[in-house]
Amino acid sequence: MRISFASTLLLASTASAFTHIHSRPTFSTRIMATSQDELKKLVGYKAVDDYVKSGMVVGLGTGSTAYYAVERVGEKLKSGELKDILAIPTSVRTKEQAESLGIPLVTLDTHSKLDVAIDGADEVDPELNLTKGGGGALFREKIVEVCADKFIVIVDESKLCDGLGPGFPIPVEIVPFCHEHTMRMIGNLPSCKGKCKPVLRLGSAANNKVDGDEPAVTDNGNYIVDLHFEEPIKDPTTMGKEIKNVVGVVEHGLFCGMSTAVIIAGSDGISVKEAK
């Protein structure tokens, strides 16, 4: 794989701190950048450099890591290194960023097939299942990313976990109508009952911190319930199916079996884990 930011990287055969993932490591590099923002920039730029080619339709993710992937697409379009790119944003704020960079935008209504989508994640388990939606864009992220031939996930090593759930609440987007009823129905599911605490997100939808008194509202006009677990979820795929079957649920933040590859940045290097 080509590394365009070679001046910040020193190649080395370092082992990943996430070697228990059951997927093949593509390569590992030792990096000199150590701040979290620098790590996010490295993986964001690498994802675009390695997976985005001229003429592609690209899904643009949402969040502090995906921001740098969008930035890189804009840079390479401006320089002429990329041409004839069409992009589909997964949130209003990503749309605004892309427009400010001159990235041509389309929607799934006209382009239902994407070549690649790039996005961050709140947690990644050993099977490359994800928790997403901390930034409130889970529905738009999933509807775009499930249409991509390749879904490239970009994270720093703090997002790696042995099991989804305890480290980051599972977001569920629900319609406002009778939202308390829908929350109870989710909490009483076999995979959830007695195992999690459903909490309505308040304030801004862009984070899962309480920063207001009113329910957080997504770009789609819906509410978000965050499911707080104390123990790892044993079967996230089954849980996702149960949650999706609840009337009133729009989408959940369990992204299972969708990842093509996960690019991981840590203080000791960058590695790529590919799904089987």
Side-chain angles (χ1 to χ4, degrees), residues 121-143:
D122 298 304
E123 280 197 318
V124 182
D125 78 4
E127 302 299 327
L128 305 190
N129 297 316
L130 316 173
T131 297
K132 289 179 53 55
L138 59 149
F139 170 74
R140 296 194 185 192
E141 288 171 338
K142 187 174 286 188
I143 196 174

Side-chain angles (χ1 to χ4, degrees), residues 16 18-19 21 23-25 128 260-262 264 271-275:
S16 169
F18 204 41
T19 54
I21 291 180
S23 53
R24 180 171 61 86
L128 305 190
T260 302
V262 179
I264 306 159
S271 61
V272 180
K273 301 295 181 181
E274 296 181 348

Side-chain angles (χ1 to χ4, degrees), residues 1-5 9 27 39-53 56 58-61 65-66 68-70 72-73 76 82 116-120 150-155 261-264 270-272:
M1 290 187 178
R2 177 172 56 84
I3 306 173
S4 66
F5 40 86
L9 301 178
F27 79 97
L39 296 179
K40 290 177 179 181
K41 184 172 183 177
L42 290 177
V43 292
Y45 276 40
K46 177 171 175 55
V48 174
D49 290 347
D50 288 352
Y51 291 97
V52 178
K53 310 301 178 186
M56 283 187 169
V58 181
L60 303 178
T65 307
Y68 291 106
V70 179
R72 185 61 167 167
V73 172
K76 298 187 80 169
L82 285 178
V116 64
I118 301 171
D119 204 352
K150 294 181 179 181
F151 176 32
I152 309 304
V153 183
I154 49 178
V155 296
V262 179
I263 304 176
I264 306 159
I270 290 181
S271 61
V272 180

